[in-house]
Amino acid sequence: MTDTTEAGPTGRSAARRKEPPPAPATGTPGPPPAPRGTRLWRGVTPWLFLIAPLALLLTFTYAPIANMVAYSFTDWDGVSPELHYTGAGNYTELLTRPELFEVFFVSGYYLAASALQIVAALYFATILSFNVRFRNFFKGVLFFPYLINGVAIGFVFLYFFQDGGTLDSVLSLFGVHTDHAWLGTPTSANISLAGVSVWRYMGLNFVLFLGAIQSVPGELYEAAELDGANRWHQFRYIIAPGIKPVLSLSVILSISGSLSVFEIPYIMTGGATGTETFVIQTVKLAFQFNKTGLASAAAVVLLLIVLAATWVQRRLVPDDRVDLV
Amino acid sequence: MNRRTIPALLTAGLLLSACTGTAGTSKGADAKAVDDPSKVSGTIKVLTQRTDLVQDGTMKKYADDFRKTYPKVKVEFEGLTNYEADVKIRMNTENYGDVLLIPGVIKKSDYPKFFASLGTQAERAKKYRFTGFTMVGGKVYGQSPIGVTPGFVYNKRVWREAGITDWPTTPAEFITALKAIKAKTDADPYYTNFAAQWPLTSWTYVNGSVGCDTGATTKLVEGDPWAKGADLRVGDTLLYDIVHEGLAEKDPTTTNWEASKPRLAKGQIATQWLGTWAVIQFRDAAKKAGVDPADIGFMPFPAQVGGKFCAVVGPDYNQAVNVHSEHKAAARAWIDWFTDKSGYGEDNLAISPLKDAPLPAVLQPYTDAGVKFIEVDDTAGAQLKLIDSESEVGLYGPDYRQDLVDLARGARKGSLDGFLGDLGKRWTDAQRSVGTR
Amino acid sequence: MTRRAVARTFVYLSLVLATVVVLLPLGVIVLTSFKSEREMADDSGALSLPGDLLNLHNYVTAFQDGEMLSAFANTAFILLFAVSGTVLIGSMTAYAIDRFTFRFRKLVIALFLVATLVPGVTTQVATFRLVNSFGMFDTLWAPIALYMGTDIVSIYIFLQFIRSIPVSLDESARLDGANAFTIYRKIIFPLLKPAIATVVIVKGITVYNDFYIPFLYMPSEDLGVISTSLFRFKGPFAAHWETISAGAVLVILPTLIAFLSLQRFIYNGFMKGATR
């Protein structure tokens, strides 16, 4: 019964976890094996809990995916009541048209931006987990962009990058007068858009890291300081191992996010001037040129690429935990 | 286990897709007009892309007017921001309003599957123009409440200040005129509205104006739209030259459609290629900005045949009745009333779709200049859409023109000839695969 | 000491810079929302102050024309069901995954993760047909069903939290004769309160801001939600930025208030139990 009082929502339960390996299946060691009926019941119980979530998941996510895979084998235009099966024709077309894959270069910008984003999030999470003045204010400010409506952000930044807009006005305050069209060339536009993406999503990474860092028990820091470790050492040996799962999740989400970027460039430039991403291209194929079959094939290919990237990442940086969470 | 679940999922998915099925086939249904207004009843939903008119209550006023003649019919509006994409998704179901505008994505041959017929072409053509655009198998499926003609909206005062008195008659003269504006006034001679995307599609409607050819659409279907001397090539080259010579705005990527209206009214912008439908909007913007609306002028494409300009008149979006609608008579009544009696056309300074109606006052300068009005024959319209989608050129979309503008201002590598040649090749390849060559 | 001081200065400087970067674009929106149509037509610079700092005209327009009152009601309804659904489902999933070992455990987790990696916009046609075949089109249930579907972030939050609840609690309850469901209901769920708060906030805000799903599945005017009300103003023909800014501020305001008052829960929720 002492367990109950010591554990609970204080978060300092690292020590608690050191108790004998948590019973892998509740009830197996200890009391004599339960009668067969109960064991069957126990085997079924987890599934009972999972019925609702899995049903929703399968119905609203996987069924459409299956449908989409089915469409990718047709030449459907997205609305006509008739369609014809074309076998793997769409996939062949995808592979023989290099320009359809060139758009992945644009994702490179977002990938680089996410790397920066994670580093920045880690940096801010680290400094804000120690004592800094106005800590809560800064925490709030950094997280807030994540909560803002996507289209509103698009407008805010269109205004920001306009000729004579916010960015130009601010720069002129510092005496820098550029004639640069921020969204004017592919390179500049992609960098600007990737910047907007960082602005928007860093808050989430930040809070995730902050939570993980703050869960590391305080005694460890004190002990380390007594041993003469400075901030950097503390980061490397205490914080870093503790946030591995969160970091892993963040990296996976970043990679998949960069490959499937859609909202920000679509709202701000519609994909013009070299800012077209793979998903924008897919949407255009489906809705402007009525090639829903081809677009579905493209979406399937994208999904496979994202899965492959995730798998590679898990191989390169294995977690000692079985699940990534 | 995994190996077996995946095929199982796939089969389930395919079965599901069969179950979710397609819209029912009530082919060949008609929306007949009913003579007695008191017999028509029901609540109908009208889908429209004019979100602004739904927003500020204008559409409601029309609905209230309609109610006076048809007291038992209630009209509700749904404004769709991305009309084409949103309606297309909805047309996968039977639920796409009672009255809707025919989206460009629907194949002409599919019209009978989605819309109820409004009558045979023989009878409709007696009263209305543009019946050919929605005619399938002898029956007409849509009706546009307004006719439009493309043209340049320009600020007369600025053009006068630059010393230009007459409309340019060739593209070269046009460029010279813009250069004069740039030299002698503060205005941006031309505004592309690049960022809003859809204004760039109006350049497609140059087709027919240059050669004054009623068979222009058929020419697109059978030949190369960007061959030397072809209408689209002339139009696109003009756009290219305008941007290339620095006569357009400095940063196309951050243009603002709404803001461009008062700016043109005030003379900060001199010209935009749009259509008659835009004039009323610019005049309203002028009033709001405190400037004289009479400064807004309208001129045709700088090309003459036989010493006269040519203006192509065509329908705007066509209204149609949903073939699955349960209030077809009411829907039909609305379309008829809206086209004939609502005053929508006059309010928008548009060309009336009624055969014997006079031209709106805004086109008076055209009549004075002896501009020839032609209607392009749309028999090949269905084929045109097929080739357009197959080639992924997108005549009615903004993409290739955005690339063109990028090319002109150096944000994209290549030459004009190479660019247009590539478009031409994709087009002719698609013609072959679709089978019109 | 100096090194320390330099380090500290750098830290504060970076924080201030980050603050400016975050707040500047937003501040401009607030300024724009107070400008009149005439001022917008005059194309005053982005940073210029509006003529009348208390010009509430745009706010009134945004509120009335956007029918925000009914939008708030609809949004509240959707939020209620979607969020409570997510909490129940997320916590049940986390409970099942953490407390039991069963054959397909890894597969289930993978299913949820993969589902998040699929960009929703590519499956929209297929999803739409499916929702329609259930007859949910143009009802409030379509978005509710879609929002409850998958959410790896919520599951992650619950999972992290459940891990810090010791198994011994379960075991002692089991000795007292409780079955799995009772354990879940009486022990686990109440202890998850901070995590629940976090999920409610984060999921709630995501649902609140989502625009595309309500727009596509609930076209009727009386079924508008807050995010779609904002976009009644933005069509290809009309983009009155001063009204949109006012609308955006109105839309962001509840988020801001919720965030400021519930900050503590957000941070705590992410924090608990994120130990090894």
Side-chain angles (χ1 to χ4, degrees):
Chain A
M1 279 308 137
T2 42
D3 295 323
T4 5
T5 45
E6 253 190 285
T10 52
R12 298 284 180 252
S13 35
R16 203 82 338 266
R17 228 47 184 124
K18 286 289 177 19
E19 57 183 80
T26 44
T28 353
R36 208 156 170 261
T38 333
R39 255 187 290 144
L40 194 63
W41 178 245
R42 292 239 182 84
V44 162
T45 325
W47 291 104
L48 289 177
F49 277 96
L50 290 172
I51 282 184
L54 281 181
L56 280 171
L57 189 66
L58 288 174
T59 321
F60 290 106
T61 307
Y62 284 98
I65 293 178
N67 273 2
M68 193 178 75
V69 173
Y71 298 151
S72 71
F73 293 112
T74 71
D75 67 352
W76 195 38
D77 70 351
V79 68
S80 173
E82 48 180 75
L83 50 83
H84 311 107
Y85 281 95
T86 59
N90 290 321
Y91 291 98
T92 335
E93 191 178 340
L94 272 179
L95 293 173
T96 52
R97 284 176 58 179
E99 74 261 18
L100 292 179
F101 278 94
E102 278 166 9
V103 286
F104 274 119
F105 284 131
V106 175
S107 293
Y109 288 96
Y110 292 94
L111 215 57
S114 330
L116 254 138
Q117 184 179 308
I118 291 184
V119 168
L122 258 178
Y123 168 72
F124 283 115
T126 315
I127 59 179
L128 283 176
S129 37
F130 297 108
N131 239 328
V132 171
R133 287 221 277 191
F134 304 119
R135 217 162 126 204
N136 283 329
F137 172 72
F138 286 121
K139 274 158 70 174
V141 161
L142 288 176
F143 184 55
F144 192 59
Y146 179 67
L147 303 173
I148 304 179
N149 196 294
V151 186
I153 292 185
F155 161 56
V156 168
F157 280 95
L158 263 177
Y159 213 52
F160 188 79
F161 287 119
Q162 220 172 30
D163 196 30
T166 320
L167 186 58
D168 282 343
S169 309
V170 167
L171 285 178
S172 61
L173 285 179
F174 288 102
V176 180
H177 295 271
T178 56
D179 215 14
H180 193 94
W182 302 103
L183 295 177
T185 65
T187 322
S188 176
N190 279 319
I191 294 180
S192 310
L193 291 177
V196 176
S197 183
V198 171
W199 187 91
R200 190 178 180 196
Y201 291 114
M202 197 199 78
L204 180 64
N205 286 9
F206 164 70
V207 174
L208 284 173
F209 289 142
L210 190 67
I213 292 177
Q214 292 192 309
S215 308
V216 176
E219 308 96 59
L220 288 177
Y221 290 120
E222 289 157 19
E225 279 212 29
L226 284 176
D227 283 346
N230 65 14
R231 280 287 145 79
W232 170 246
H233 286 139
Q234 286 174 13
F235 177 77
R236 197 156 154 227
Y237 297 109
I238 303 178
I239 294 181
I243 59 173
K244 227 158 152 216
V246 179
L247 195 55
S248 203
L249 180 64
S250 299
V251 171
I252 288 182
L253 290 179
S254 297
I255 294 180
S256 87
S258 306
L259 288 172
S260 28
V261 179
F262 174 73
E263 205 176 44
I264 288 180
Y266 191 70
I267 292 172
M268 289 184 65
T269 60
T273 324
T275 56
E276 194 179 16
T277 66
F278 193 77
V279 178
I280 291 182
Q281 182 182 263
T282 307
V283 169
K284 281 197 182 151
L285 277 176
F287 289 101
Q288 269 187 24
F289 305 124
N290 295 331
K291 292 188 173 176
T292 305
L294 185 61
S296 303
V300 170
V301 168
L302 176 67
L303 186 57
L304 290 174
I305 293 178
V306 171
L307 288 176
T310 312
W311 183 80
V312 166
Q313 186 258 339
R314 301 270 288 130
R315 279 283 128 129
L316 286 180
V317 189
D319 265 343
D320 46 359
R321 273 226 174 272
V322 161
D323 350 278
L324 91 102
V325 288
Chain B
M1 263 319 137
N2 289 353
R3 280 217 302 273
R4 275 201 268 142
T5 36
I6 294 180
L9 275 177
L10 265 177
T11 329
L14 284 168
L15 282 175
L16 258 175
S17 68
C19 295
T20 58
T22 57
T25 41
S26 0
K27 267 183 77 167
D30 286 340
K32 294 216 189 333
V34 174
D35 284 325
D36 184 1
S38 60
K39 289 226 178 74
V40 183
S41 65
T43 306
I44 56 171
K45 277 201 176 149
V46 177
L47 304 185
T48 172
Q49 93 282 34
R50 297 299 305 263
T51 48
D52 53 338
L53 296 182
V54 174
Q55 199 40 60
D56 62 8
T58 317
M59 293 310 282
K60 187 154 185 312
K61 282 201 212 111
Y62 288 121
D64 290 338
D65 259 350
F66 179 69
R67 206 98 191 252
K68 293 186 196 139
T69 326
Y70 291 86
K72 292 201 191 127
V73 181
K74 187 163 182 293
V75 183
E76 285 175 3
F77 297 96
E78 278 178 29
L80 302 178
T81 324
N82 292 316
Y83 188 80
E84 290 274 329
D86 295 338
V87 161
K88 175 176 160 161
I89 296 184
R90 284 178 70 165
M91 288 177 80
N92 270 289
T93 72
E94 297 189 2
N95 192 331
Y96 43 99
D98 296 283
V99 176
L100 68 156
L101 306 172
I102 300 182
V105 305
I106 308 289
K107 288 202 275 263
K108 219 169 170 186
S109 47
D110 281 341
Y111 283 3
K113 295 196 187 111
F114 292 106
F115 312 116
S117 135
L118 300 172
T120 62
Q121 184 173 35
E123 46 176 88
R124 301 280 303 183
K126 285 188 212 142
K127 194 171 169 199
Y128 298 107
R129 310 159 85 158
F130 317 130
T131 50
F133 284 82
T134 55
M135 193 272 293
V136 180
K139 290 196 178 167
V140 174
Y141 289 89
Q143 178 60 48
S144 173
I146 54 174
V148 290
T149 183
F152 285 103
V153 177
Y154 70 105
N155 186 306
K156 291 193 206 151
R157 187 180 51 82
V158 172
W159 277 64
R160 255 199 317 270
E161 274 176 25
I164 309 156
T165 45
D166 297 317
W167 292 341
T169 56
T170 66
E173 267 182 49
F174 192 78
I175 298 277
T176 320
L178 290 186
K179 283 194 178 142
I181 295 176
K182 185 160 178 134
K184 297 193 194 145
T185 68
D186 281 333
D188 276 338
Y190 187 81
Y191 199 70
T192 60
N193 253 310
F194 183 91
Q197 301 190 321
W198 61 268
L200 286 172
T201 60
S202 23
W203 281 87
T204 299
Y205 300 104
V206 167
N207 194 37
S209 316
V210 181
C212 219
D213 185 359
T214 53
T217 306
T218 324
K219 278 233 183 76
L220 288 182
V221 169
E222 290 174 359
D224 178 357
W226 294 279
K228 293 246 185 272
D231 283 13
L232 280 183
R233 192 183 183 105
V234 175
D236 287 342
T237 311
L238 178 59
L239 178 59
Y240 177 89
D241 287 337
I242 293 177
V243 179
H244 192 67
E245 308 267 345
L247 299 167
E249 73 277 3
K250 197 167 74 175
D251 185 10
T253 51
T254 51
T255 57
N256 183 333
W257 161 249
E258 200 60 37
S260 72
K261 293 193 241 176
R263 286 183 66 195
L264 190 141
K266 286 196 285 190
Q268 292 166 351
I269 296 173
T271 332
Q272 290 196 46
W273 172 260
L274 296 163
T276 43
W277 49 267
V279 177
I280 180 100
Q281 295 188 33
F282 279 80
R283 287 203 183 158
D284 280 343
K287 279 186 224 144
K288 287 206 188 99
V291 190
D292 185 5
D295 277 349
I296 309 288
F298 194 69
M299 79 167 109
F301 191 81
Q304 286 191 324
V305 171
K308 295 275 179 234
F309 290 103
C310 212
V312 172
V313 182
D316 193 50
Y317 262 121
N318 288 294
Q319 287 197 312
V321 176
N322 181 349
V323 77
H324 306 289
S325 164
E326 290 173 19
H327 305 286
K328 290 202 184 67
R332 172 69 192 269
W334 166 261
I335 293 183
D336 284 343
W337 179 85
F338 196 65
T339 315
D340 302 343
K341 302 206 181 79
S342 64
Y344 182 68
E346 286 86 54
D347 294 340
N348 277 284
L349 308 180
I351 300 172
S352 171
L354 293 167
K355 263 207 153 128
D356 43 13
L359 286 173
V362 70
L363 288 176
Q364 189 59 39
Y366 273 46
T367 338
D368 293 341
V371 175
K372 186 162 175 232
F373 289 94
I374 58 166
E375 277 179 48
V376 172
D377 173 26
D378 196 60
T379 335
Q383 291 282 48
L384 181 66
K385 289 222 191 89
L386 272 177
I387 302 173
D388 192 32
S389 299
E390 183 63 30
S391 62
E392 288 177 32
V393 162
L395 283 183
Y396 300 100
D399 296 280
Y400 95 81
R401 285 222 177 72
Q402 282 190 309
D403 288 342
L404 180 69
V405 172
D406 277 344
L407 188 73
R409 63 192 184 94
R412 194 191 159 94
K413 297 193 198 31
S415 72
L416 181 64
D417 284 336
F419 184 78
L420 295 179
D422 174 64
L423 285 177
K425 180 163 188 318
R426 277 161 47 192
W427 187 266
T428 45
D429 282 346
Q431 278 171 336
R432 243 170 276 134
S433 62
V434 166
T436 57
R437 268 220 143 170
Chain C
M1 256 315 135
T2 345
R3 209 163 142 233
R4 252 268 142 114
V6 167
R8 281 195 91 74
T9 326
F10 180 72
V11 162
Y12 280 109
L13 210 61
S14 61
L15 284 173
V16 167
L17 188 64
T19 311
V20 169
V21 167
V22 165
L23 293 182
L24 184 66
L26 297 173
V28 171
I29 292 295
V30 175
L31 284 179
T32 314
S33 66
F34 289 118
K35 293 187 182 167
S36 68
E37 208 171 341
R38 188 68 181 267
E39 282 175 311
M40 293 302 289
D42 280 340
D43 199 35
S44 41
L47 290 181
S48 65
L49 290 174
D52 176 8
L53 260 176
L54 282 177
N55 174 16
L56 292 177
H57 177 73
N58 297 326
Y59 285 94
V60 173
T61 319
F63 195 83
Q64 285 184 335
D65 289 355
E67 290 180 40
M68 284 200 172
L69 208 53
S70 79
F72 272 117
N74 287 328
T75 312
F77 185 85
I78 294 178
L79 274 177
L80 181 66
F81 283 97
V83 172
S84 33
T86 307
V87 166
L88 273 173
I89 287 172
S91 54
M92 289 204 294
T93 314
Y95 177 62
I97 293 179
D98 188 59
R99 292 306 206 233
F100 298 88
T101 17
F102 46 94
R103 286 251 300 278
F104 299 109
R105 196 155 151 252
K106 277 202 262 172
L107 176 65
V108 168
I109 297 175
L111 277 180
F112 278 99
L113 180 61
V114 168
T116 322
L117 299 176
V118 175
V121 69
T122 53
T123 52
Q124 42 179 336
V125 177
T127 315
F128 184 81
R129 292 176 66 130
L130 193 64
V131 169
N132 187 62
S133 66
F134 280 117
M136 292 197 292
F137 176 73
D138 217 22
T139 67
L140 286 171
W141 296 105
I144 290 177
L146 290 171
Y147 290 136
M148 285 206 287
T150 91
D151 193 359
I152 187 120
V153 178
S154 305
I155 293 176
Y156 166 80
I157 295 174
F158 282 126
L159 209 50
Q160 290 295 84
F161 211 85
I162 276 191
R163 285 212 172 109
S164 69
I165 300 178
V167 185
S168 41
L169 285 179
D170 289 41
E171 284 170 2
S172 31
R174 213 172 268 284
L175 285 176
D176 286 344
N179 65 16
F181 189 68
T182 326
I183 296 179
Y184 168 77
R185 196 162 54 95
K186 293 225 165 95
I187 299 183
I188 306 282
F189 199 74
L191 284 178
L192 281 178
K193 281 215 193 69
I196 292 177
T198 311
V199 168
V200 163
I201 295 168
V202 175
K203 183 83 184 183
I205 289 180
T206 314
V207 167
Y208 178 80
N209 279 334
D210 182 42
F211 165 70
Y212 196 70
I213 288 181
F215 188 69
L216 186 63
Y217 292 97
M218 296 193 301
S220 301
E221 261 193 54
D222 51 341
L223 287 181
V225 292
I226 292 291
S227 40
T228 51
S229 69
L230 182 60
F231 293 91
R232 290 193 208 277
F233 299 107
K234 185 181 185 322
F237 293 98
H240 290 276
W241 293 121
E242 66 279 5
T243 325
I244 294 183
S245 301
V249 172
L250 278 178
V251 165
I252 293 176
L253 221 49
T255 319
L256 185 60
I257 295 174
F259 173 68
L260 288 176
S261 40
L262 300 171
Q263 267 190 82
R264 201 164 44 93
F265 290 109
I266 301 180
Y267 304 131
N268 289 350
F270 277 107
M271 181 174 108
K272 284 305 169 277
T275 57
R276 324 215 37 235

